Amino acid sequence: MTWFEEKLYDHWRQSFKIGRVLFHEKTDFQDLVIFETPGFQRVLALDGIIQVTQGDEFVYHEMLAHVSTLAHGDARAVLIIGGGDGGVLREVLRHPVERCTMVEIDPGVIELCRKFMPDISRGAFDDPRAEIVIADGVKYVAETDRKFDVIIVDSTDPIGPGEVLFTEAFYASCRRILTERGVVVTQNGVPFLQPEELTTTHRRLSKLFPDAGFFVAAVPTYVGGFMTLGWASLDPSNRARPVEAIREQFTKLQINTRYYTPEIHVASFALPKYVQDLMTKE
Ligand code: SAM
């Protein structure tokens, strides 16, 4: 096999020239492959769908972690659903959170990403504030009696084990376990190619949260234009946090990012018209 072909869509495919396949096996939950490619270094694919690449993972992990945490402004308890590669965990732990709980269904993803792509988690799994739970995220949020300031749903697409993480029941459980100003952000696909996913998510989040919408990021290997990240909050003022306040808090962190800036944070909520139209589509 000299090319890895992603067949997420019937009419559109992307291929990566394979340098070396490092691992390929069916776990209890999904087909997992890690391969090297000249353009993006190492790549993780689950059930044939690109999940994370060393080349562009910073875009997505920085935006999920920093937009949610800096919009909230005082996040102490953070929950990650999915995220087995450890990239979001790494970025969240750059904030002075007290604890970051990660609920991942497939221990194989954690184990193999730690082994073959350790620079993505970069030691985050060993941070004393990190708590790793192996469980189905939909079950965890339905049963936990803990509360969280920020919930980050770093899931696969709504096929296979990730499907339950796009349901109204899941979002309702997330709302139940949020603190009073809580924020939820989600992986919500590429609307140009997955329009129904955006319309459905917006309908479900709007029913449950006073503030629901999306923000965008340009992730090269999530082909088809802007990727949308779902946004929901119990406090509408979180989304409107002024760039000056975000910049002041961000500067204090003394962290270097490669995509996120306070200005991109604010600008990312300005949606293209075709995305806005999908939000209101019946
Ligand atoms: N960046 C990727 C994307 O945008 O599609 C997501 C990457 S991350 C590897 C996705 C993770 O979600 C995987 O580790 C997968 O095992 C996990 N996952 C899928 N369904 C899950 C569920 N029901 N509960 C918890 N984790 C789940």
Side-chain angles (χ1 to χ4, degrees), residues 4 46 202:
F4 175 88
L46 295 172
H202 186 61

Side-chain angles (χ1 to χ4, degrees), residues 89 93 98-102 124-132:
L89 181 64
L93 291 173
E98 288 163 9
R99 184 181 60 221
C100 187
T101 303
M102 189 178 106
F125 288 115
D126 302 318
D127 187 306
R129 296 170 294 161
E131 176 194 29
I132 312 303

Side-chain angles (χ1 to χ4, degrees), residues 30 44 46 50-51 60 81-85 103-106 109 135-138 154-157 161-162 164-165 187 222 227:
Q30 43 211 346
L44 165 72
L46 295 172
I50 298 299
Q51 298 296 314
Y60 169 86
I81 303 293
D85 50 74
V103 180
E104 165 59 57
I105 197 167
D106 190 341
V109 176
D136 186 333
V138 71
D154 180 16
S155 69
T156 41
D157 285 281
V164 292
L165 305 181
Q187 185 281 103
Y222 299 164
M227 167 181 213

